[in-house]
């Protein structure tokens, strides 16, 4: 203990010991002491020396400290001292004041020493696992040093430590539990730890997100006062940015968890705004960055669209627009808000429409777009703010043809209102102002109003400008070329050339208007052929691109400036190789590469704003086309034109035939449906005839039984007068019934005749189809596409043949039934059946010929429609006949039942008179012979 007192500040007796010797003795004491108190005091002493003697403590005591963590985990005090000592030797927090040069060298040495000691500590993965396990201890003296130590290790060696924590059981979960600690200092340091832990590691980011990190962080932000909170809010926002940036899985999880809606209260601007503190500005800046991360153009289009919809529906976009129009907002917050709104509305039609409806709180109210454009063309506004407004205007017009049309319409004479300021007026004012940045921004903004919209390119040709009083107006195109030829600043000329290239590309009419002024071609060739300085190379390249566009999209309507003459002009005055070399200057510019990287226009200074993101795409698309067009000979171009025309004609013919095939296919489908309907009707009629035949057979059986009963009654009552009279009455009744039965048979014969008429109609239909086939066989047989149609017609014909076969079966069944019912009519029905069979064979032959043709679906459809109407009428008439027949049969059954009742009454009366009556079975057998004798009479 006396030794420790000397180390801790007492005056030891004897010679002064060096720091290394003292640390060695302390290490020996930690290793050899059996009492926990002695080891604790020795570790406390090492902690006090660890900042001054980092190297000695780190190299000599690290192993002993790890051993203490393993063996003395039950004593929180010694564990806390050990963790603090390890943190001190790894981190480079120097307390001593030093000169600047000495401080720089010392800082470098300290970082190298901390990295070496970190490598020594993490060399054994069990050390990190041990520290993570100690974090489960709730004691403040253990948990807080452990959090700081893990954070320091991540700062020194982020990747290796992340890998160890990732494979450690429950490693990430233990660290996430720190956010729930009730002690703010531990929770706040845990936020810093998680920032380092999630940096650049997508796997850990996903685990942290699924450990309910979003919910906890948003709760902390809300508890701390949102944007009015302190640095803890900023730390939470930085952690959210680390979890969401470039991580599509977490972004999707954040959106689906309805966390986007919880961001809306962050941007509420109160009327009683008492000022913006530096921390509030920082917090709101981070919040806007978080919104931009969710709708960044680098994300997938589907994810961007869904987030944009969510932000609009929950009112977040409305809150952002309110900040845009609010007063007293700091410039950097306003700039970042404009950039955020730009990406929230970019490519979303609903959001763009809403933004177009936003008005500034002025008198009279002005559209927000107009107010922003006023800032863009105002040279007194900050540079970054003007770039943000340009980005917002570009995003508003991105894939928004409606917005493009509205902007261009404000430039047309019929829509200009002198009492209001329009977007078109502001763009024209900026285009021709004395500020080169305003010229460039206005030209680029106007080019976006023409992007992928040929109709607006033609509309813009109608714009007329009044340059001065007493002079006639000139077109906007002519004014742009006039300013270009006056030799203004490079930035102004670059902006005008970007506008002209975007304007006349893919628009032959605009090319014609541009070439109509002979001075334009002279200016372009003069600029390209000159050998100017480095600053003019970009202008030369853009002039070459503009002249190349005039060649590519030239319709040869101007005799003096056809494609061939322009190429000859290039070859004589410039040279093809020199022209292509000047064209390649565009993509070699540093500003070109920067603009091609991201849609947002940025630059270190206003002079560096030379390229637009969409224009770099146009250059990439046209550079190869222009080069090929310049080198292409007139003969090759003529052949290509011929091939192009041939292809266009072929495409036109193919399109016509495809339309014809589609129509015929639709007609065939209708015919198929009609065939199916006819088949179902045929099946129904077949069933009806079968039922009728069965009913007729039943009536015949009933008639035979009734006749036998009547004859038996007549034989038994032959000798008596009253019975004879009654027998006479019965014979009269029987005769009447026979007549009715004969009439019923006649009706059946008429029904068969109706069926024959229906078959004749079908025959007429097929005859018309045969005539159609004969007329259509001479039509177009040149395209192979019709073969598919022919196969479908063949299938149709097969189905018609099946229908004919079914009709033949129906007729055979009807003929057989009629033959069984009425024997004398059998010969006529047989001849009818033979004629029908021959007719069916002829129909089959005609259908086979029909299968070999490919067209004629329209007339077939008309014929089929008429035949269906006739068949439907015939079917209705036959149905009525069948209904009447059933009614008559029912009446006959009733008459037969009455007759049977009369016979029963007569038998009862005979029994009452005492006449012997035989049993019914004997009477039936006895009268069988009589029935046979009477049958010829019946016939």
């Amino acid at each position: 203990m006396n030794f420790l007192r000397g180390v801790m500040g007492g005056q030891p007796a004897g010679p002064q010991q060096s720091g290394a010797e003292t640390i060695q003795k302390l290490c020996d004491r930690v290793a050899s002491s059996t009492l926990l108190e002695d080891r604790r005091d020795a570790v406390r002493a090492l902690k006090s020396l660890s900042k001054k003697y980092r190297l000695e403590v780190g190299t000599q005591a690290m192993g002993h400290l790890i051993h203490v963590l393993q063996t003395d985990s039950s004593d929180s005090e010694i564990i806390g001292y050990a963790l603090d000592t390890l943190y001190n030797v790894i981190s480079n927090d120097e307390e001593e004041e030093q000169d600047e040069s000495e401080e720089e060298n010392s800082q470098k040495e300290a970082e190298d020493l901390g990295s070496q000691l970190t490598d020594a500590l993490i060399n054994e993965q069990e050390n990190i696992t041990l520290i993570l396990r100690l974090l489960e201890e709730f004691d403040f003296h253990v948990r807080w040093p452990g959090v700081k130590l893990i954070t320091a290790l991540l700062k020194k060696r982020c990747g290796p430590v992340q890998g160890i924590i990732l494979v450690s059981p429950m490693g990430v979960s233990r660290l996430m539990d720190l956010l729930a600690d009730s002690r703010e200092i531990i929770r706040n340091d845990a936020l810093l730890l998680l920032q380092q832990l999630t940096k650049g590691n997508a796997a850990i980011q996903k685990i942290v997100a699924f450990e309910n990190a979003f919910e906890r962080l948003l709760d902390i932000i809300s508890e701390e006062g949102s944007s009015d909170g302190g640095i803890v809010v900023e730390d939470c926002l930085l952690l959210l940015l680390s979890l969401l940036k470039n991580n599509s899985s977490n972004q999707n999880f954040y959106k689906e968890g309805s966390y986007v809606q919880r961001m809306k209260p962050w941007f509420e601007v109160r009327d009683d705004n008492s000022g913006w503190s530096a921390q509030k500005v920082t917090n709101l800046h981070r919040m806007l960055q978080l919104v931009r991360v969710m709708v960044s153009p680098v994300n997938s289009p589907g994810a961007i669209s869904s987030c944009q919809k969510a932000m609009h529906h929950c009112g977040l976009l409305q809150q952002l627009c309110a900040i845009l129009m609010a007063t007293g907002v700091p410039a950097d917050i306003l700039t970042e808000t404009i950039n955020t709104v730009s990406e929230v509305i970019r490519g979303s039609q609903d959001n763009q429409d809403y933004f177009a409806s936003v008005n500034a709180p002025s008198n009279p109210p002005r559209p927000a777009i107009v107010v922003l454009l006023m800032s863009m063309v105002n040279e007194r506004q900050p540079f970054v703010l003007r770039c943000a407004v340009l980005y917002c205007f570009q995003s508003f017009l991105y894939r928004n043809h409606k917005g493009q049309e509205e902007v261009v319409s404000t430039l047309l004479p019929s829509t200009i209102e002198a009492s209001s300021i329009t977007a078109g007026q502001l763009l024209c004012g900026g285009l021709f102002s004395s500020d080169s940045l305003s010229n460039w921004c206005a030209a680029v903004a106007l080019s976006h109003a023409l992007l992928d919209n040929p109709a607006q390119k033609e509309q813009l040709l109608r714009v007329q400008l009044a340059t001065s009083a007493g002079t006639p107006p000139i077109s906007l195109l002519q004014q742009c070329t006039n300013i270009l030829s006056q030799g203004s600043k490079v930035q102004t000329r670059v902006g005008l050339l970007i506008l002209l290239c975007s304007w006349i590309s893919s628009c032959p009419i605009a090319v014609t208007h541009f070439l109509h002024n002979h001075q334009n071609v002279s200016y372009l060739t003069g600029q390209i052929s000159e050998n100017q300085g480095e600053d003019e190379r970009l202008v030369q390249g853009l002039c070459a691109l503009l002249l190349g566009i005039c060649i590519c999209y030239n319709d040869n309507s101007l005799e003096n400036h056809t494609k061939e003459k322009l190429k000859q002009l290039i070859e004589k005055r410039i040279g093809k190789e020199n022209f292509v070399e000047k064209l390649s200057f565009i993509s070699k510019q540093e500003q070109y590469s920067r603009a091609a990287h991201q849609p947002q226009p940025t630059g270190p200074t206003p002079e560096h704003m030379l390229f637009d993101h969409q224009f770099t795409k146009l250059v990439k698309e046209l550079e190869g086309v222009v080069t090929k067009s310049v080198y292409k000979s007139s003969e090759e171009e003529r052949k290509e034109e011929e091939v192009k025309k041939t292809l266009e004609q072929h495409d036109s013919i193919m399109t016509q035939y495809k339309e014809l095939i589609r129509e015929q296919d639709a007609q065939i489908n209708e015919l198929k449906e009609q065939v199916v309907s006819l088949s179902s009707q045929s099946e129904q009629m077949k069933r009806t005839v079968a039922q009728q035949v069965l009913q007729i057979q039943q009536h015949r059986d009933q008639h035979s039984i009734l006749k036998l009963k009547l004859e038996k009654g007549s034989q038994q009552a032959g000798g008596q007068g009253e019975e004879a009279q009654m027998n006479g009455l019965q014979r009269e009744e029987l005769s009447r019934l026979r007549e009715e039965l004969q009439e019923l048979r006649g009706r059946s014969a008429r029904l068969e005749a109706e069926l024959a008429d229906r078959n004749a109609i079908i025959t007429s239909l097929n005859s018309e189809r045969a005539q159609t086939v004969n007329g259509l066989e001479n039509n177009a047989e040149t395209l192979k596409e019709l073969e598919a149609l022919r196969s479908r017609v063949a299938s149709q014909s097969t189905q018609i043949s099946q229908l004919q076969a079914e009709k033949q079966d129906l007729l055979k069944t009807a003929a057989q039934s009629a033959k069984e019912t009425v024997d004398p009519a059998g010969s006529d029905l047989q001849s009818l059946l033979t004629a029908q069979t021959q007719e069916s064979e002829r129909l089959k032959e005609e259908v086979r010929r029909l299968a070999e043709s490919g067209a004629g679906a329209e007339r077939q459809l008309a014929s089929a429609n008429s035949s269906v109407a006739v068949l439907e009428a015939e079917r209705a008439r036959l149905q009525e006949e069948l209904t009447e027949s059933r009614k008559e049969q029912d009446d006959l059954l009733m008459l037969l039942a009455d007759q049977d009742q009369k016979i029963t009454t007569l038998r009862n009366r005979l029994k009452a008179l005492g006449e012997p009556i035989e049993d019914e079975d004997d009477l039936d057998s006895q009268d069988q012979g009589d029935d046979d004798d009477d049958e010829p009479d019946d016939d």
Side-chain angles (χ1 to χ4, degrees), residues 661 664-665 668 672 783-795 853-854:
I661 290 173
Q664 292 175 343
D665 189 55
I668 289 175
K672 286 181 178 180
L783 295 177
K784 295 182 179 180
E785 289 84 353
L786 295 179
E787 291 299 330
L789 179 61
R790 291 170 180 167
S791 62
R792 289 196 291 268
V793 173
S795 175
S853 66

Side-chain angles (χ1 to χ4, degrees), residues 739-752:
E739 291 176 358
E740 291 178 355
L741 181 60
Q742 190 66 28
E743 183 181 356
L744 180 61
R745 290 172 177 171
R747 289 183 180 273
S748 178
R750 287 196 299 274
L751 178 60
E752 295 298 333

Side-chain angles (χ1 to χ4, degrees), residues 611-630:
F611 281 102
D612 170 60
H613 178 74
Q614 293 295 334
F615 182 70
T616 60
K617 293 183 177 180
L618 181 65
V619 172
K620 186 177 180 180
E621 176 185 348
L622 293 178
E623 188 174 4
V625 177
V626 169
T627 302
K628 184 185 294 185
S629 180
V630 170

Side-chain angles (χ1 to χ4, degrees), residues 447-461:
S447 71
H448 277 257
L450 310 174
L451 191 65
D452 298 328
N453 199 331
Q456 300 311 315
K457 293 180 181 180
E458 297 179 7
Q459 286 292 323
L460 201 63
L461 295 173

